[in-house]
């Protein structure tokens, strides 16, 4: 294998017959350079295969343009959609995304984050409620700007972006009651993240406000297989629920498949089901799931916009938060929808 050869700006200058500073101005947006000089520099750069060293240029300004995305459950549809939006918008803003997968708990996350810090990452975005709060504190101590999505960390400095999960869950109760449902259940995982627990609390509170009880069942991780087990547990009770709010769409998909194929139940005639996230599968005809849409484009836009702004020193230690509304998407898994 041949060794990598990095072409320097000085080599471009020599080939183009211009000064080193003329090369720099050519590749600096808004800098003054004549049309002829620009043409000669660009032709020389193309012939030599020259690319601007943005990392070195950024470090001269005490910034690298690197943003760490700290995320668990990378393969789930909702998380993948949010990652897609964030990476696209970061790229459009001229930044570089560095992914740190937090699915393991053996110290690899801490090592990966420290490595990212050693590369002078400017900021981190934590996409889930699972990484320990010490991860966020490490980011802040290193001087990074920090965005927390769907977390309840109360330390000052980061931008926190959350959905009003509690309020959304209350709207599901109304939808079930209007469909004639009276035996309500909530199907949750054991992950215990702030967003999942807020949905559970909101659903239970909304039902109690109408004088109704809710059967709460939790099991395993927040995925399709857990939804199947939750259905088996709830649908083998002496009094079956006639409406189930699943904490996520993946749980709902597993729940619905088990209700239909193992218990021969008709949805929504015998059982109404709602989910949360509005993943692609929710719109498939086999599920036709009523759910809440996570505003992933808005979440990503708000995060990148805040990271791109100059941060006044006066607000660096103040609480900064956004609370967004999840829109209910009506489909056929609830009667009357």
């Amino acid at each position: 294998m041949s060794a990598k050869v990095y072409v320097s700006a000085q080599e471009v200058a020599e080939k183009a017959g211009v000064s080193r500073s003329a090369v720099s101005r050519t590749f600096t947006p808004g800098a003054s350079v004549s049309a002829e000089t620009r043409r000669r520099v660009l032709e020389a750069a193309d012939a030599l295969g020259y690319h601007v060293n943005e990392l070195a240029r950024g470090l001269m300004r005490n910034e690298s343009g690197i943003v760490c995305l700290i995320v668990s459950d990378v393969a789930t549809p909702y998380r993948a959609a949010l990652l897609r939006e964030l990476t696209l918008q970061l790229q459009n803003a001229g930044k570089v995304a560095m992914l740190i997968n937090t699915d393991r708990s053996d110290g690899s996350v801490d090592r990966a984050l420290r490595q990212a810090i050693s590369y002078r990452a400017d900021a981190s975005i934590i996409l889930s409620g699972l990484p320990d709060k010490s991860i966020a504190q490490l980011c802040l101590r290193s001087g990074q700007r920090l965005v927390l999505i769907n977390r309840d960390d109360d330390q000052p400095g980061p931008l926190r972006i959350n959905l009003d999960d509690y309020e959304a869950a209350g709207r599901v109760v109304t939808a079930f009651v209007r469909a004639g449902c009276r035996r309500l259940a909530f199907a949750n995982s054991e992950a215990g993240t702030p967003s999942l627990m807020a949905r559970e609390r909101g659903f239970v509170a909304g039902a109690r406000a109408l004088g109704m009880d809710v059967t709460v069942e939790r099991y395993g991780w927040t995925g399709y297989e857990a939804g199947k087990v939750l259905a088996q547990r709830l649908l083998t009770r002496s009094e079956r629920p006639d409406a189930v709010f699943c904490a996520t769409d993946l749980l709902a998909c597993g729940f619905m498949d088990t209700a239909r194929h193992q218990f021969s139940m008709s949805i929504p005639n015998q059982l109404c089901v709602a989910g949360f996230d509005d993943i692609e599968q929710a719109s498939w005809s086999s599920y036709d799931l009523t759910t809440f849409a996570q505003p992933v484009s808005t979440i990503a836009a708000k995060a990148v916009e805040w990271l791109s702004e100059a941060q006044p020193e006066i607000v660096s230690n103040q609480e900064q938060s956004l609370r967004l509304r999840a829109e209910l998407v009506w489909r056929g898994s609830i009667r009357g929808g």
Side-chain angles (χ1 to χ4, degrees):
M1 294 178 61
S2 58
K4 289 184 178 179
V5 176
Y6 295 100
V7 178
S8 69
Q10 182 60 43
E11 291 175 278
V12 174
E14 292 172 358
K15 184 171 181 64
V18 299
S19 66
R20 168 66 178 76
S21 62
V23 175
S24 178
R25 293 196 305 275
T26 298
F27 290 100
T28 301
S32 176
V33 61
S34 70
E36 175 60 19
T37 297
R38 181 182 301 277
R39 181 190 66 79
R40 290 163 61 185
V41 169
L42 292 178
E43 287 182 355
D46 184 63
L48 294 173
Y50 170 76
H51 298 282
V52 176
N53 188 336
E54 294 290 356
L55 181 58
R57 178 178 285 189
L59 291 177
M60 293 177 63
R61 303 190 301 268
N62 199 32
E63 59 183 37
S64 64
I66 297 173
V67 177
C68 299
L69 302 178
I70 303 172
V71 57
S72 63
D73 296 330
V74 178
T76 60
Y78 161 66
R79 204 78 70 204
L82 183 54
L83 278 174
R84 181 174 62 247
E85 282 294 330
L86 280 168
T87 51
L88 284 173
Q89 297 201 35
L90 284 169
Q91 287 168 198
N92 290 339
K95 299 184 181 298
V96 178
M98 178 183 290
L99 179 65
I100 298 179
N101 188 329
T102 65
D103 283 342
R104 295 172 60 184
S105 58
D106 58 358
S108 61
V109 176
D110 185 75
R111 290 194 297 273
L113 183 56
R114 291 182 184 279
Q115 184 179 32
I117 291 171
S118 70
Y119 277 94
R120 308 283 183 89
D122 296 332
S124 287
I125 302 176
I126 300 182
L127 276 68
S128 75
L130 289 176
D132 189 85
K133 290 184 179 181
S134 62
I135 296 294
Q137 292 164 0
L138 177 60
C139 294
L140 292 173
R141 287 199 305 271
S142 73
Q144 291 188 13
R145 300 183 70 178
L146 185 62
V147 177
L148 306 173
I149 298 177
N150 292 330
R151 288 177 64 92
D152 61 355
D153 302 50
D154 55 3
Q155 61 232 31
L159 171 66
R160 293 189 294 160
I161 303 176
N162 292 292
L163 297 184
D164 198 340
D165 297 280
Y166 187 96
E167 181 274 338
R171 279 185 276 155
V172 178
V173 175
T174 302
F176 285 154
V177 170
R178 288 178 177 173
C181 303
R182 293 296 179 268
R183 301 184 305 278
L184 309 186
F186 187 85
N188 203 353
S189 74
E190 294 177 323
T193 64
S195 54
L196 297 180
M197 298 312 296
R199 293 165 202 171
E200 181 179 312
R201 291 193 303 271
F203 189 69
V204 171
R208 286 178 178 169
L210 297 176
M212 306 172 69
D213 291 327
V214 175
T215 300
V216 175
E217 190 71 56
R218 305 187 193 102
Y219 175 78
W221 207 243
T222 316
Y224 179 87
E225 292 299 324
K228 293 170 63 177
V229 174
L230 289 164
Q232 292 164 353
R233 290 185 175 184
L234 286 168
L235 299 180
T236 53
R237 290 173 174 261
S238 57
E239 186 176 52
R240 284 180 176 176
D242 59 5
V244 179
F245 180 27
C246 295
T248 71
D249 287 352
L250 273 183
L251 289 174
C253 290
F255 198 104
M256 293 172 74
D257 283 343
T258 299
R260 286 171 172 152
H261 303 305
Q262 188 171 341
F263 294 92
S264 301
M265 296 186 71
S266 172
I267 298 174
N269 297 326
Q270 294 175 289
L271 178 68
C272 290
V273 181
F276 204 107
D277 288 338
D278 194 29
I279 62 176
E280 180 184 355
Q281 291 86 341
S283 66
W284 292 358
S285 57
S286 57
Y287 298 112
D288 197 24
L289 177 64
T290 296
T291 184
F292 286 92
Q294 293 249 23
V296 292
S297 295
T298 301
I299 291 172
K302 294 295 184 183
V304 175
E305 177 184 338
W306 186 78
L307 290 177
S308 300
E309 292 175 351
Q311 187 176 32
E313 198 67 32
I314 193 171
V315 301
S316 61
N317 290 319
Q318 296 178 0
E319 177 180 340
Q320 303 169 76
S321 62
L322 293 173
R323 188 168 294 276
L324 305 177
R325 178 182 171 88
E327 294 299 330
L328 183 60
V329 180
W330 278 103
R331 296 194 179 99
S333 63
I334 298 180
R335 294 188 296 274

